[in-house]
Amino acid sequence: MKTSAFFAVLFASTTLAFGDVHGATLTSEPFGQTQDGKPVTLYTMKNSHGVSVSFMSWGGVVTKIETPDRHGKPADIVLGFPTLHDYETKSVDGGLYFGALVGRYANRIAKGQFTLDGQTYHLDINNPPNSLHGGNDGYNKRIWNVERLQNSGSIVSAVLKLSSPDGDQGYPGALDIAVTYSLGEDNSFRIDYSATTNKDTVLNLTNHSYFNLAGPGSPHGVLDQVMWVDADQYTPTDRTSIPFAENASVAGTPFDFRTPKAISRDLKVDNEQLLFAQGYDHNWVLNKHHGPDALEKATTLYDPASGRTLECDTTEPGVQIYTSNFVKGNYAGNGGIYRQTEGVTFETQHFPDSPNHPNFPTTELKPGQTFKSSTIFRFGVRRG
Ligand code: BGC
């Protein structure tokens, strides 16, 4: 359908029931029970261009994203597992957070400790010697309350809600969190995060999907995929992935993706940062041309073989790009055995260990304020 005709149809009717929005639908089905007997639901949003996003109430985990290649052939472009049991046993206990909604603090906090308003807080050391992704009982293991939203126009959405009590995971303040997942007819999967607190606290929320635009079983994982990152600086870290005092220029380093290049190109370069992390597992400091909170294009990924493209826009100041370095052939997922460099994450977020780095953009939230953050993953194809 031509664009003009498409929009004419789109605006002709605003009274369609949810799920009938010009081919865009949201369906749900049971996805089994957790090991402790709680029922979990799987939701699938689909648009009329063959793009679908599936997620579950357990951990807000994105289990599958299907998009067409340049010939219209669909494939699942995120790493995932067929069953809830796989997620509970492989994804979480293995510490790899496949598709997860991560919090209260995505990324690491040094030695599991930070001080706020003169009080020191102690967190789980689940990634010794640091705390990672909210500790042992991350938001990625909680059952989120999912509500369908009544949309008008060309978008389907669901809001995922979680109440995180004061002291949860060792953090101060009761948080009320709402995360909206939307799929548009423009082939965008949008995530809008919001949260309020009743006490001063810190937070950092993200999505931990591993993308592989080639789909399951691609022979080289993401190595041949071409990445662009709008960042002049990145955040070097020590051996335990905790940032040093200052960010560093990407110029002349393997971290320079300001001109698109294959992920493999500099991956094996002799570089201490790549050695420490066994690949890319770093925060890129986004350039933010239109202000610190602007929703701007941060990264792109292109798979020359399938033609699939991914654009990631975010309001966040940074993105942790992780080339699945610790996925080492020990995970059998939807796409067969997952190996190192099988997927790449774009964890849009504030910088690692910000509560201990006053020079980094703040992650503090106070009563009366509303935390807001948005990220868009936009899918497409390049024909030539
Ligand atoms: C971290 C990695 C970690 C991965 C899975 C990423 O956000 O930066 O170091 O292995 O999450 O836990």
Side-chain angles (χ1 to χ4, degrees), residues 36-290:
D36 58 358
K38 297 193 187 94
V40 170
T41 305
L42 182 74
Y43 297 85
T44 298
M45 304 186 287
K46 272 192 186 145
N47 74 10
S48 63
H49 306 292
V51 174
S52 72
V53 175
S54 300
F55 63 92
M56 58 169 147
S57 50
W58 186 82
V61 169
V62 173
T63 57
K64 189 188 267 195
I65 298 182
E66 278 196 340
T67 71
D69 70 4
R70 62 161 71 89
H71 304 297
K73 187 166 166 255
D76 181 5
I77 59 157
V78 289
L79 308 192
F81 296 98
T83 68
L84 175 60
H85 183 74
D86 287 329
Y87 280 99
E88 279 195 287
T89 52
K90 298 183 186 162
S91 181
V92 170
D93 295 336
L96 292 162
Y97 299 84
F98 288 85
L101 205 174
V102 179
R104 175 177 305 200
Y105 196 95
N107 219 314
R108 290 174 175 81
I109 295 191
K111 310 258 178 343
Q113 194 171 304
F114 70 97
T115 301
L116 183 65
D117 302 335
Q119 191 170 332
T120 299
Y121 295 92
H122 299 277
L123 314 168
D124 292 339
I125 311 285
N126 62 326
N127 185 244
N130 304 314
S131 189
L132 176 67
H133 294 332
N136 294 323
D137 189 19
Y139 293 167
N140 56 298
K141 291 181 184 179
R142 311 285 173 91
I143 306 256
W144 292 67
N145 183 25
V146 181
E147 290 165 24
R148 296 159 176 238
L149 287 184
Q150 191 75 41
N151 291 109
S152 59
S154 52
I155 296 169
V156 283
S157 304
V159 59
L160 292 78
K161 291 187 177 167
L162 183 75
S163 293
S164 174
D166 188 12
D168 195 10
Q169 306 167 329
Y171 292 89
L175 279 189
D176 281 317
I177 307 166
V179 181
T180 304
Y181 287 169
S182 306
L183 179 68
E185 284 291 317
D186 62 353
N187 300 333
S188 294
F189 171 41
R190 179 173 173 136
I191 308 180
D192 294 290
Y193 304 84
S194 80
T196 54
T197 183
N198 67 350
K199 269 188 198 166
D200 290 4
T201 191
V202 296
L203 84 160
N204 195 25
L205 303 175
T206 196
N207 171 268
H208 204 293
S209 289
Y210 293 87
F211 291 95
N212 181 344
L213 298 184
S218 67
H220 305 126
V222 291
L223 286 175
D224 302 336
Q225 298 178 22
V226 177
M227 188 166 79
W228 171 84
V229 186
D230 190 13
D232 294 340
Q233 293 198 309
Y234 77 111
T235 308
T237 67
D238 66 16
R239 286 174 188 280
T240 76
S241 296
I242 294 299
F244 299 125
E246 302 294 340
N247 294 317
S249 170
V250 296
T253 77
F255 295 84
D256 192 347
F257 281 88
R258 293 174 298 180
T259 302
K261 66 179 179 189
I263 289 178
S264 62
R265 185 144 102 204
D266 294 328
L267 193 58
K268 297 292 174 204
V269 163
D270 184 14
N271 172 281
E272 189 180 62
Q273 286 298 307
L274 292 178
L275 280 176
F276 281 176
Q278 300 182 35
Y280 293 112
D281 185 7
H282 292 82
N283 174 61
W284 269 256
V285 179
L286 296 170
N287 286 335
K288 307 302 291 190
H289 306 276
H290 303 289

